[in-house]
Amino acid sequence: MKLQQRFSLIKEASAPIAGWFILSVSLRRGLLRWRSTLSLTVMALPAILILLVLAYLPMAGIIVAFKNYMPYRGIFNSDWVGFQNFHFLFGTDQTWQITRNTVLMNLIFIVTGTLVALGIALLFNEIRDSSRVLFKIYQSAIFFPYFISWVIVGSFVSALLNHDSGVINRLLGSLHLPVIDWYASPQYWPLILTIVFLWKNVGFSALIYLSGIVAIDPEYYEAAQLDGASKWQQVRYITLPLLKPLIILLVILALGGIFHGDFGLFFMATGDHSALYPTTDVIDTYVYRALIKLDDFGMSSAAALYQAVVGCILVVLANWIVRCIDPDKAIF
Amino acid sequence: MSVQPPPFFASVFARQQTRRRPARKGILVVHAILIVLTTFFALPLLLVLASSFSRESDLALYGYSLWPRHFTLDAYRFLFQDASIVVNGYGVTICVTVVGTFLSVLIMSLFAYVLARRDYRFQRLLTIFLVITMLFSGGLVSFFLVMTQLLHVQDTLLAYIVPFLVIPVNVLILRTHFKGLPIELIEAAKLDGAGEWHIFFKIIVPLSIPALATVSLLVSLAYWNDWFMGLIFITNPRLMSLQYLMYQIAQDMTLLQTTREVANVTPPTLSVLMAMAVVTIGPILLIFPFIQRFLVRGLTLGGLK
């Protein structure tokens, strides 16, 4: 049977041919995969290098907190002092003061910021359909401060609170009220800083809340309107409950950052007047001052490490809580 | 509803029902509150604007006011003609912003793209690599030491540019966007024999213009408004950015004095400071419409994931 012989010959020969074919294809595919991996790795390389040098290397640099760092000796030749810097740090009243200022002010910012931003978002929601032009104007005015640098904001605050030429004191003077030396009275500054913080940030938060409100299905409102619900009732029973996840998410994430103060706010808006430190000095400004002005590398580094450790714990905790509530929204 | 309209007119009636909205006095209250808020928010800007156009003598006598008593361009004239250091600062800031934004967006988008590729071998590892930097930081001292002792960028323009080249939040925004692109696109391109670089620049980037524009705006804003890097790294007056210069001038007006002797004329210090503020905010005012368009859309998408 010549045909059958030929057939079996072909079958026998085709097996290794098929084998080579599959091997060469998978080799080529494997090679292509390797080339792809290489290309992608090279793409990511600049960012990796930058992060290694600017983020990871400084992590190793926390060792400065445990040494008596002398610039001329370098890191490795400076004396090891163990926890001495931390003993100094936690021995002073100032550490409690800066911790309290940081946490308390941030807490005030979170509460007032959320309330005011929500309020503005609700107001925006009422008029964004009916008066688009006016809405754009209001939104621009309230959003704009976010884009102004803290240096300029500092000059704004100075224009208002300057002892001789500031608007507030001039106003007080024209009303025959006593003029206040604002930059020497720390007791007013929690309020002042809160107002400045809100002025700068509330536009941004309001927009985020507004986008959350816009995402709510209008059918809920139509049904409520048919049932005769007032606007206020609609807000209370539809808008707010449906926004709750977003609000909780943003609040918890903000709480995660509660140990870090906004350096621009506390340094520039106050003009760095030392009389105000009791209520405006935060960990960040303290670290800056110790490093740049006092050249106290040890204390500065110890305070920074203190902030980094507590901050890290808080962020991890916050993220864990967020993950429990809504796994999609967690950062990691 | 007690009366049933005849079926033919039902739709017309329905439309009329929803359109007929009585003018609620509630709306007026909303507008009133918003007008008050808008005025409050715009007040400082108006103050500074008006003061920049006021005479220095008026400012000294009457303090800041919402409207210039005597309109004058003295402050601006002084700023641009005599205060060469300010023009210099403008140059520094523009250069840093342009170069920095370009480099930063390039590096970050490449990184975010790689992080978004599920078929990439080290994707999970690199993601963790990025996220750890968001959790724990080495602190100001370490950062300062690395920048000055290792990289030696003090008193150079790189001190402004380098710190903002990779910002984790922006990387995440870009990554979210890239993750949203269909993987079939990339697979199809690979079948056609395209390399990774070609895929990224010729296919992915053109599809990502809105996201890239959003991040570019955020990054340029960070560069333009930055004063902190100047504060800790720069001492050379010729390398001071606009914002840092403003800070220095506010602390010490004598920086504005030039070699050109102008007798019997007090340098207009306060109004010049206000003019500087206006000039610094100016470009932001110009691109604000673009910011509104891209940022408002882009942030709400990326920020909420």
Side-chain angles (χ1 to χ4, degrees):
Chain A
M1 288 288 203
K2 233 178 172 188
L3 202 62
Q4 270 189 342
Q5 280 179 322
R6 242 184 246 163
F7 196 55
S8 58
L9 259 176
I10 292 175
K11 261 205 292 191
E12 280 177 26
S14 65
I17 295 176
W20 272 114
F21 182 68
I22 293 173
L23 193 66
S24 68
V25 164
S26 63
L27 259 180
R28 183 154 32 103
R29 216 182 279 150
L31 222 93
L32 280 177
R33 271 215 68 162
W34 269 109
R35 272 186 62 186
S36 156
T37 306
L38 188 68
S39 296
L40 289 177
T41 311
V42 171
M43 277 184 181
L45 213 55
I48 296 175
L49 283 174
I50 291 175
L51 283 178
L52 275 176
V53 172
L54 287 185
Y56 280 92
L57 203 54
M59 285 187 206
I62 60 175
I63 202 172
V64 174
F66 300 98
K67 289 196 165 203
N68 185 18
Y69 178 76
M70 298 284 176
Y72 60 88
R73 281 175 129 188
I75 297 183
F76 296 107
N77 294 325
S78 297
D79 300 324
W80 180 269
V81 292
F83 281 94
Q84 195 183 62
N85 286 322
F86 292 93
H87 282 149
F88 282 144
L89 187 72
F90 292 113
T92 65
D93 271 339
Q94 208 177 8
T95 307
W96 162 243
Q97 182 180 286
I98 60 178
T99 309
R100 181 204 66 190
N101 285 343
T102 314
V103 174
L104 200 62
M105 290 306 294
N106 273 334
L107 214 57
I108 297 177
F109 292 163
I110 293 174
V111 170
T112 56
T114 307
L115 289 174
V116 175
L118 258 180
I120 294 182
L122 289 170
L123 291 174
F124 276 165
N125 189 43
E126 291 306 310
I127 60 153
R128 72 185 162 87
D129 293 318
S130 51
S131 351
R132 275 217 78 92
V133 173
L134 280 176
F135 167 61
K136 274 267 150 76
I137 295 177
Y138 298 142
Q139 187 208 10
S140 307
I142 296 179
F143 194 25
F144 190 70
Y146 182 76
F147 298 94
I148 301 179
S149 92
W150 280 114
V151 180
I152 314 268
V153 175
S155 61
F156 283 3
V157 174
S158 164
L160 287 168
L161 297 182
N162 188 294
H163 190 251
D164 301 312
S165 40
V167 169
I168 306 271
N169 274 358
R170 291 273 166 166
L171 203 67
L172 289 175
S174 64
L175 292 174
H176 301 291
L177 289 169
V179 156
I180 306 176
D181 191 358
W182 297 99
Y183 287 104
S185 325
Q187 64 271 30
Y188 298 115
W189 282 83
L191 179 64
I192 298 175
L193 288 177
T194 306
I195 295 176
V196 174
F197 169 82
L198 289 176
W199 178 82
K200 195 159 194 303
N201 288 305
V202 104
F204 190 86
S205 313
L207 276 176
I208 296 186
Y209 285 126
L210 183 64
S211 68
I213 296 178
V214 165
I216 298 178
D217 198 334
E219 284 193 2
Y220 290 123
Y221 294 109
E222 287 169 17
Q225 249 178 347
L226 286 175
D227 285 343
S230 73
K231 272 289 168 181
W232 176 241
Q233 281 175 319
Q234 286 177 32
V235 163
R236 229 184 109 195
Y237 294 110
I238 303 177
T239 317
L240 288 181
L242 286 175
L243 270 185
K244 218 162 45 154
L246 181 62
I247 299 174
I248 293 179
L249 166 77
L250 290 175
V251 166
I252 292 179
L253 284 179
L255 284 174
I258 207 173
F259 227 63
H260 291 262
D262 188 343
F263 185 78
L265 171 64
F266 290 98
F267 184 75
M268 284 296 171
T270 60
D272 198 27
H273 286 91
S274 52
L276 303 175
Y277 286 167
T279 53
T280 64
D281 199 21
V282 289
I283 303 179
D284 306 70
T285 48
Y286 176 79
V287 169
Y288 162 79
R289 214 165 50 242
L291 175 67
I292 301 291
K293 300 243 182 94
L294 304 174
D295 278 338
D296 192 344
F297 287 84
M299 286 293 266
S300 176
S301 192
L305 182 59
Y306 160 59
Q307 185 183 47
V309 168
V310 179
C312 177
I313 296 175
L314 287 175
V315 168
V316 172
L317 201 66
N319 187 74
W320 177 76
I321 296 178
V322 167
R323 188 127 48 103
C324 286
I325 299 178
D326 186 355
D328 268 339
K329 300 285 200 294
I331 304 180
F332 54 90
Chain B
M1 284 186 279
S2 49
V3 178
Q4 284 288 349
F8 182 72
F9 294 106
S11 55
V12 177
F13 267 107
R15 235 181 299 131
Q16 277 191 342
Q17 289 249 327
T18 48
R19 214 191 296 157
R20 198 200 329 131
R21 253 178 307 189
R24 301 193 313 275
K25 49 178 165 36
I27 276 282
L28 290 176
V29 173
V30 171
H31 277 283
I33 300 177
L34 282 172
I35 290 177
V36 168
L37 277 176
T38 303
T39 330
F40 169 71
F41 274 77
L43 207 73
L45 192 59
L46 282 170
L47 212 63
V48 165
L49 203 66
S51 305
S52 70
F53 289 116
S54 302
R55 276 196 216 157
E56 185 68 21
S57 44
D58 287 339
L59 285 180
L61 271 177
Y62 304 108
Y64 297 89
S65 58
L66 281 170
W67 195 259
R69 270 169 212 268
H70 298 103
F71 188 90
T72 170
L73 288 176
D74 280 346
Y76 290 96
R77 211 173 292 138
F78 181 83
L79 204 61
F80 287 110
Q81 287 177 359
D82 303 330
S84 62
I85 196 172
V86 172
V87 180
N88 198 46
Y90 230 126
V92 168
T93 301
I94 291 177
C95 173
V96 164
T97 305
V98 168
V99 173
T101 305
F102 175 72
L103 282 179
S104 176
V105 172
L106 184 66
I107 294 176
M108 284 200 296
S109 56
L110 282 171
F111 190 47
Y113 172 66
V114 171
L115 287 180
R117 288 283 298 272
R118 252 174 276 256
D119 54 326
Y120 176 58
R121 210 160 174 209
F122 304 115
Q123 187 227 20
R124 278 211 72 198
L125 180 69
L126 283 184
T127 309
I128 298 175
F129 180 78
L130 177 74
V131 168
I132 291 182
T133 65
M134 292 174 74
L135 286 181
F136 188 81
S137 109
L140 182 63
V141 180
S142 300
F143 172 68
F144 182 78
L145 286 177
V146 166
M147 293 280 278
T148 54
Q149 305 302 327
L150 187 69
L151 299 175
H152 299 289
V153 292
Q154 64 270 40
D155 262 341
T156 67
L157 285 182
L158 282 177
Y160 291 112
I161 297 178
V162 169
F164 295 104
L165 283 179
V166 177
I167 301 178
V169 173
N170 292 337
V171 173
L172 287 182
I173 295 178
L174 284 173
R175 183 190 76 151
T176 308
H177 164 81
F178 287 133
K179 270 196 168 171
L181 295 175
I183 191 95
E184 291 84 18
L185 216 60
I186 302 169
E187 287 172 0
K190 280 202 180 165
L191 277 176
D192 288 340
E196 292 291 353
W197 294 92
H198 187 269
I199 296 178
F200 181 75
F201 283 109
K202 292 280 164 60
I203 303 176
I204 305 289
V205 167
L207 283 177
S208 314
I209 302 286
L212 289 175
T214 305
V215 172
S216 304
L217 277 171
L218 286 174
V219 171
S220 354
L221 195 68
Y223 277 118
W224 185 270
N225 280 344
D226 171 52
W227 44 270
F228 186 65
M229 299 306 153
L231 189 64
I232 56 178
F233 292 122
I234 306 289
T235 47
N236 182 355
R238 295 179 62 86
L239 286 176
M240 291 184 178
S241 69
L242 209 57
Q243 305 288 349
Y244 181 47
L245 200 59
M246 255 220 76
Y247 170 70
Q248 286 288 59
I249 292 175
Q251 304 282 79
D252 177 13
M253 297 287 188
T254 57
L255 257 174
L256 279 176
Q257 285 167 2
T258 60
T259 51
R260 202 173 85 178
E261 287 301 314
V262 188
N264 299 332
V265 173
T266 46
T269 48
L270 221 53
S271 57
V272 169
L273 201 64
M274 296 298 112
M276 261 203 86
V278 172
V279 142
T280 312
I281 305 177
I284 300 180
L285 258 172
L286 287 174
I287 64 169
F288 196 64
F290 298 101
I291 294 177
Q292 288 236 304
R293 200 152 39 112
F294 284 115
L295 253 188
V296 173
R297 218 186 296 154
L299 271 171
T300 50
L301 284 173
L304 298 176
K305 247 193 278 205

